[in-house]
Amino acid sequence: MTKQISEEDVYLFHQGTHYFSYQFLGCHRDGVKTRFVVWAPHAKKVELAGDFNDWSGKGYALTKLDNAELWYGSFSDIQENTRYKYRITAPNGDTFLKADPYAFRAELRPLTASVIPSWKQYMWGDQEWELLKAESDPYHSPLLIYELHAGSWKRDDQNLPISYRVLASQLIPYVKELGYTHIELLPLAEHPLDASWGYQITSYYAPTSRHGSINDLKYFIDQCHQHQIGVIIDWVPGHFCKDDHGLRQFDGEALYEYKDPKKVEKPLWGTLTFDYGKPEVQSFLISNAIYWLKEFHVDGLRVDAVASMTSLNFDRPDSEEKLVNSFGNELNLEAIAFLQKLNEVVFHYFPKALMMAEDSSDLPLITHPTSKGGIGFNFKWNMGWMNDLLKYMELDPIYRKWHHQLLTFSMMYHYSENFVLPLSHDEVVHGKKSLLNKMPGDQWQQFANLRLLYGYMMVHPGKKLLFMGGEFGQYIEWRFQQALDWHLFDYPLHHALFHYLTELHKFYHHQPSLYQLDYHPSGFQWIDPDNHEQSILIFIRKALDLENHLLIVCNFTPVVYYDFNIGVPTPGTYRELFNSDAACYGGSDQSNTEIHFSFPEGWHGQDQHIKIKVPPLAICIFQQVLESTEEELE
């Protein structure tokens, strides 16, 4: 990664177009010397401080490059694993120590220094994965994401986070068994507070030391790829924390953050907002995205809190005066331009990257090309679907008929963006209860409701994401300082839920109707969206060939319906392929074992209908038996 500093580097950095600025800023090996370059335009003086000079800065002064706002120094006596900071003298004469914004390695909290990394290069073995990815088409392929927090998926015997290498040995076979295509990790950049879950960062270029070294993390990602598991990481360009050693007032004045006190504060989180209009900040953040994609081979970034970036008044109290832009609205035009630029650059260098926006706003065109006025992401989390569906599922079934629109409203806007359907970590913390514990009724009904929730997510258009613990029915909320409750596997209903989700994912992989046309209206057809009295939904999912379609029935009440008529588009015989009420999943086994012949009588606006048994609090999926299949059955 090391390169010599050129006039072009300096120029591009100050233009906001140096997308590999980490290759010359920060700490690098320069022959037999170690070189340091830092951006500190307001500083009167910058020195290197560490154990080598008792943190005084004496004897290690950096030189300001002419008209560059950059400070430079090269030293022959600073070796790997040495701790360091920059000792900065502010314009008013105050001195303080700051961690290196471009440091590749940082101390484990509560310590705060940057650390000279090992210069040993990691030898990657994921070439086959990279070739497969180059030929991939995520829009028309299965995409199942397992979201996890590396610090609490499992813990060691002392209740400490496990290492990246242990995580590789235990997590990869687990997600492979479940059928996930990708994992998504909560932020991995170094952060001082465990309770922030990694979302309040001090060292954007330093993977957290909680789980091991830089090369340990590369090993983990490499092993994921060698086992055909993609890796997405949460990335946080929306704000940064105020810790003294971090980016805040880096050289004595606002540098990385907005100077305007009305624009800089994020009161909800107690953090500061990046100044997206400043070219050097653009170089810093876009280079950071490139850094994770290039140096760590991650397959995508889930960009956190996009709504907090694009709105000038995100979380601003009503009592305060609202900010507006030059057009008189509340959009942060600088942040929008930054996000457009970010996506253009990322897709230029990594055309197959997954750039996912976690956006709770109603801002349009999030996943539309920038050339057409869009923001340029290729996927967006569907927060509205998540909130509506969970609100509905928490209702006692007796009241669900009055809230039927919470189930169906998502299809009114689904094709406006490329949506991912998330059941994420944010929904199982802060008193919201775990997914299982949200479900109403007795224990049997809770598990049945949860199977139905997962089933409906799987057949609804859009890619899928589930947070760890949901796969086996974690009863209590997620706790960042403790491991998941793995002992629950000893209980039959929890083990059956895990088995159900595994089989549901297998079914998803084997049914092109459930993923090929996620983002095209031809892949979805309502049969009956309006049966609010019985809280039943019936619809069809289709594949690219538009023939081998699936007929889906969802019953959101605990009532069993016999000889239930369902309209079908074509005459023939139909068989049940999947039923969440099967006994092996913990259900009551109200299944449809026989072949169903269609009747030439119209129903649900279709020319034909079949009669089925509708299981309670369940999803059942049917498919027409084609002639070749009928012959095989005979």
Side-chain angles (χ1 to χ4, degrees), residues 123-394:
M123 301 301 294
W124 290 88
D126 62 350
Q127 293 79 12
E128 182 179 349
W129 168 264
E130 294 295 335
L131 290 173
L132 290 172
K133 187 168 66 173
E135 301 173 356
S136 67
D137 176 7
Y139 304 107
H140 302 99
S141 303
L143 186 57
L144 290 173
I145 304 169
Y146 184 72
E147 184 191 33
L148 75 146
H149 176 248
S152 58
W153 185 71
K154 285 188 178 181
R155 309 275 282 194
D156 67 15
D157 293 340
Q158 285 75 45
N159 196 36
L160 296 174
I162 60 176
S163 70
Y164 292 120
R165 290 180 180 267
V166 172
L167 191 66
S169 67
Q170 298 185 12
L171 176 66
I172 291 172
Y174 184 75
V175 296
K176 288 288 287 184
E177 180 181 1
L178 277 163
Y180 283 102
T181 63
H182 292 71
I183 61 170
E184 180 180 314
L185 293 149
L186 272 59
L188 293 180
E190 195 59 83
H191 53 282
L193 181 65
D194 289 8
S196 78
W197 314 333
Y199 290 98
Q200 296 189 13
I201 295 169
T202 48
S203 295
Y204 273 74
Y205 288 84
T208 178
S209 298
R210 288 165 174 82
H211 310 289
S213 70
I214 296 169
N215 283 346
D216 289 339
L217 174 56
K218 290 179 178 180
Y219 171 84
F220 168 75
I221 296 171
D222 194 11
Q223 287 299 305
C224 286
H225 287 171
Q226 291 187 43
H227 290 85
Q228 291 75 54
I229 299 292
V231 179
I232 303 165
I233 63 169
D234 284 11
W235 187 62
V236 192
H239 60 124
F240 59 88
C241 60
K242 297 180 179 180
D243 293 58
D244 287 341
H245 68 286
L247 298 177
R248 180 179 63 88
Q249 299 277 310
F250 183 78
D251 58 2
E253 296 186 16
L255 188 63
Y256 287 87
E257 70 269 35
Y258 281 116
K259 189 173 183 179
D260 185 344
K262 294 181 179 179
K263 294 177 71 173
V264 71
E265 291 288 341
K266 285 280 196 298
L268 177 64
W269 301 314
T271 54
L272 301 176
T273 307
F274 282 102
D275 184 346
Y276 303 108
K278 192 172 290 183
E280 296 85 357
V281 173
Q282 295 173 20
S283 288
F284 173 81
L285 286 173
I286 295 176
S287 291
N288 188 246
I290 296 296
Y291 171 73
W292 288 103
L293 292 162
K294 183 178 189 298
E295 307 300 338
F296 289 89
H297 291 204
V298 300
D299 303 289
L301 303 176
R302 177 267 203 182
V303 180
D304 180 61
V306 169
S308 77
M309 301 172 66
T310 58
S311 171
L312 289 170
N313 295 303
F314 179 81
D315 191 42
R316 186 175 301 280
D318 293 335
S319 59
E320 293 187 8
E321 180 183 359
K322 297 298 183 183
L323 300 176
V324 295
N325 60 34
S326 58
F327 295 99
N329 62 53
E330 298 182 15
L331 293 176
N332 186 333
L333 300 179
E334 293 171 339
I336 291 173
F338 163 75
L339 289 171
Q340 291 174 318
K341 184 176 182 179
L342 165 73
N343 286 314
E344 288 172 354
V345 172
V346 166
F347 288 122
H348 172 76
Y349 290 105
F350 301 95
K352 295 298 183 176
L354 302 175
M355 292 296 288
M356 298 183 172
E358 188 266 320
D359 178 31
S360 58
S361 77
D362 58 359
L363 187 67
L365 306 179
I366 296 293
T367 59
H368 291 240
T370 58
S371 61
K372 297 182 179 179
I375 306 299
F377 289 96
N378 52 3
F379 292 98
K380 173 183 175 176
W381 276 24
N382 194 337
M383 313 292 279
W385 170 88
M386 177 179 67
N387 292 329
D388 286 349
L389 184 58
L390 291 179
K391 182 179 179 181
Y392 179 87
M393 293 301 299
E394 288 185 81

Side-chain angles (χ1 to χ4, degrees), residues 84 194 199 231 300 304 337 347 353 364 411 452 466 517 520 529 538 587 592:
Y84 73 99
D194 289 8
Y199 290 98
V231 179
D304 180 61
F347 288 122
M411 289 309 301
L452 174 57
L466 180 65
L517 292 172
H520 196 283
I538 307 170
N592 293 272

Side-chain angles (χ1 to χ4, degrees), residues 389 392-401 404 406-408 439-440 445 448-449 451-457 459 526 531-539 552-559 561 614-619:
L389 184 58
Y392 179 87
M393 293 301 299
E394 288 185 81
L395 294 168
D396 188 295
I398 199 172
Y399 301 117
R400 287 176 175 172
K401 64 181 179 180
H404 195 70
L406 293 174
L407 286 177
T408 58
M439 301 297 107
Q445 289 194 4
N449 271 300
R451 292 194 301 272
L452 174 57
L453 169 63
Y454 293 159
Y456 186 54
M457 175 175 71
V459 298
W526 281 119
N531 188 352
H532 60 89
E533 284 294 335
Q534 294 173 301
S535 298
I536 288 177
L537 286 181
I538 307 170
F539 56 92
I552 295 156
V553 182
C554 301
N555 178 12
F556 292 90
T557 73
V559 179
Y561 296 98
V614 180
L617 293 173
I619 177 173

Side-chain angles (χ1 to χ4, degrees), residues 16-211:
T17 55
H18 201 311
Y19 307 131
F20 298 85
S21 59
Y22 67 87
Q23 293 183 346
F24 80 93
L25 280 155
C27 167
H28 292 276
R29 185 170 54 181
D30 188 3
V32 297
K33 295 184 176 182
T34 305
R35 186 187 73 212
F36 300 84
V37 183
V38 62
W39 177 49
H42 304 115
K44 293 176 62 177
K45 187 177 183 181
V46 179
E47 301 163 291
L48 197 68
D51 295 322
F52 43 84
N53 60 10
D54 294 325
W55 300 94
S56 67
K58 290 182 179 180
Y60 291 83
L62 273 62
T63 302
K64 192 172 186 179
L65 298 179
D66 292 339
N67 302 317
E69 302 183 345
L70 300 173
W71 296 79
Y72 166 91
S74 187
F75 308 98
S76 59
D77 58 343
I78 299 179
Q79 305 301 321
E80 294 179 3
N81 303 315
T82 301
R83 302 186 303 155
Y84 73 99
K85 287 184 179 180
Y86 296 115
R87 187 175 188 270
I88 293 175
T89 303
N92 64 2
D94 290 345
T95 60
F96 44 83
L97 296 173
K98 288 287 188 178
D100 187 347
Y102 280 86
F104 298 137
R105 182 180 166 197
E107 285 188 295
L108 180 63
R109 49 82 178 107
L111 303 175
T112 59
S114 302
V115 182
I116 309 296
S118 167
W119 302 118
K120 183 180 180 181
Q121 295 296 306
Y122 180 81
M123 301 301 294
W124 290 88
D126 62 350
Q127 293 79 12
E128 182 179 349
W129 168 264
E130 294 295 335
L131 290 173
L132 290 172
K133 187 168 66 173
E135 301 173 356
S136 67
D137 176 7
Y139 304 107
H140 302 99
S141 303
L143 186 57
L144 290 173
I145 304 169
Y146 184 72
E147 184 191 33
L148 75 146
H149 176 248
S152 58
W153 185 71
K154 285 188 178 181
R155 309 275 282 194
D156 67 15
D157 293 340
Q158 285 75 45
N159 196 36
L160 296 174
I162 60 176
S163 70
Y164 292 120
R165 290 180 180 267
V166 172
L167 191 66
S169 67
Q170 298 185 12
L171 176 66
I172 291 172
Y174 184 75
V175 296
K176 288 288 287 184
E177 180 181 1
L178 277 163
Y180 283 102
T181 63
H182 292 71
I183 61 170
E184 180 180 314
L185 293 149
L186 272 59
L188 293 180
E190 195 59 83
H191 53 282
L193 181 65
D194 289 8
S196 78
W197 314 333
Y199 290 98
Q200 296 189 13
I201 295 169
T202 48
S203 295
Y204 273 74
Y205 288 84
T208 178
S209 298
R210 288 165 174 82
H211 310 289

Side-chain angles (χ1 to χ4, degrees), residues 480-549:
F480 69 88
Q481 73 278 36
Q482 295 185 42
L484 297 178
D485 288 335
W486 295 102
H487 66 275
L488 291 176
F489 270 93
D490 295 335
Y491 296 87
L493 281 175
H494 294 273
H495 195 276
L497 179 65
F498 178 86
H499 175 59
Y500 166 73
L501 198 63
T502 301
E503 293 300 308
L504 181 63
H505 288 169
K506 286 180 183 177
F507 183 80
Y508 169 79
H509 278 282
H510 292 142
Q511 296 296 330
S513 299
L514 296 181
Y515 57 79
Q516 282 188 344
L517 292 172
D518 273 329
Y519 305 115
H520 196 283
S522 63
F524 182 91
Q525 177 186 345
W526 281 119
I527 296 296
D528 185 10
D530 301 320
N531 188 352
H532 60 89
E533 284 294 335
Q534 294 173 301
S535 298
I536 288 177
L537 286 181
I538 307 170
F539 56 92
I540 286 174
R541 291 295 309 275
K542 301 176 183 178
L544 283 168
D545 59 19
L546 301 181
E547 293 181 359
N548 198 19
H549 58 262

